[in-house]
Amino acid sequence: MSKDKHIGEDVSTIYAHRFKNFEIERDRIWRVLAASYFQMWVRPTDAVLDIGAGYCEFINNIEAKEKFALDVNPMTRLRAVSNVTVSLQDVCRSWPMESETIDVAFSSNFFEHLPSKEDLSHCLQESRRVLRHGGLIILMGPNIRFCPGIYWDFFDHHLPLSDRSMAEALELSGFEKRLVIPRFLPFTMSGKRPPAAIFVRLYLLMPILWRILGKQFLIVAQKRG
């Protein structure tokens, strides 16, 4: 068995256990997040890459001309809709995308699962390579500054990341910050029923609630040079 296949089966098992019974509800939430918030950063003519795409909730629901998903999880290919091109491989190896072919790179709740900061740097450098001049990277993840205890309740969390450390890593990798929101979404939808879509729309319209309930950072950065 190849290393990628072994890792992929492990990831698939974790995902199946963590998000069982709520896949449809999670997809509805991401439909709202994509249309009501993230679409402002993505043009319909863009090529978009979802790094660590998982069940493809973001990339399936964002409107874009070309859509790519990168993950080692074999379920990614099964969950992707027909217009998403899926690459099944470990993100810690060289990516199969050509240089300067992507307009927007996106990743949600993924980088904290990487084994090391060297692997994170590799992913950021690969993101910069595949992005076109002026391309954007959009990152969301649990902010250890606001959830230092429950951050480690997940067996596959390895890297302690905050809005500040991620912003610094991006700058060191050749990106310029466009937006940093230390508190954006609540911590996780794992193991519990996600909220109704109407409540997500209301939440996005009320940034004052982000400062109370938000425990995930959101960073948008632009490729320099």
Side-chain angles (χ1 to χ4, degrees):
M1 180 185 296
S2 69
K3 181 180 178 182
D4 279 6
K5 185 175 181 181
H6 178 73
I7 295 172
E9 290 180 354
D10 288 346
V11 171
S12 180
T13 300
I14 291 172
Y15 262 66
H17 175 266
R18 188 168 295 164
F19 301 117
K20 63 182 178 181
N21 304 322
F22 298 131
E23 291 91 346
I24 294 175
E25 289 90 341
R26 282 174 52 84
D27 188 69
R28 288 177 183 149
I29 296 304
W30 273 100
R31 199 176 308 160
V32 173
L33 291 172
S36 300
Y37 191 86
F38 291 111
Q39 196 66 59
M40 76 170 77
W41 301 103
V42 180
R43 298 165 299 190
T45 55
D46 280 346
V48 180
L49 168 64
D50 192 350
I51 307 160
Y55 284 4
C56 295
E57 293 103 337
F58 168 80
I59 200 65
N60 282 349
N61 288 299
I62 203 72
E63 183 182 353
K65 183 178 181 180
E66 296 180 273
K67 304 202 283 188
F68 301 90
L70 179 64
D71 204 307
V72 75
N73 187 346
M75 289 300 296
T76 300
R77 180 164 286 159
L78 299 177
R79 298 282 180 167
V81 295
S82 59
N83 65 338
V84 175
T85 300
V86 177
S87 296
L88 287 182
Q89 70 158 71
D90 185 352
V91 299
C92 299
R93 296 194 289 108
S94 296
W95 298 357
M97 296 82 195
E98 297 291 331
S99 298
E100 299 187 353
T101 56
I102 301 296
D103 297 290
V104 179
F106 175 89
S107 191
S108 169
N109 288 258
F110 175 68
F111 287 150
E112 66 273 14
H113 301 284
L114 294 175
S116 70
K117 290 183 178 179
E118 289 76 18
D119 293 323
L120 172 58
S121 294
H122 168 81
C123 286
L124 296 181
Q125 290 293 339
E126 280 292 274
S127 296
R128 190 179 188 283
R129 179 184 66 79
V130 302
L131 282 170
R132 293 189 173 102
H133 176 71
L136 298 179
I137 185 168
I138 303 171
L139 303 179
M140 187 170 70
N143 195 332
I144 198 166
R145 292 206 291 131
F146 306 119
C147 51
I150 56 175
Y151 191 97
W152 301 113
D153 287 349
F154 293 88
F155 182 69
D156 53 344
H157 279 194
H158 300 288
L159 289 183
L161 296 171
S162 72
D163 58 302
R164 296 169 181 172
S165 61
M166 183 61 77
E168 183 177 44
L170 284 164
E171 289 181 322
L172 292 171
S173 298
F175 291 92
E176 181 177 352
K177 292 178 293 185
R178 289 274 301 273
L179 174 72
V180 178
I181 301 177
R183 293 178 178 265
F184 182 49
L185 294 183
F187 180 61
T188 181
M189 288 188 286
S190 171
K192 56 187 177 182
R193 183 173 297 278
I198 183 63
F199 293 118
V200 178
R201 291 191 184 93
L202 290 173
Y203 180 87
L204 292 173
L205 291 172
M206 302 175 69
I208 191 171
L209 291 179
W210 305 0
R211 301 187 200 118
I212 300 169
L213 301 175
K215 288 183 170 58
Q216 295 194 51
F217 61 75
L218 174 67
I219 300 177
V220 180
Q222 189 169 31
K223 178 179 176 178
R224 268 198 324 258

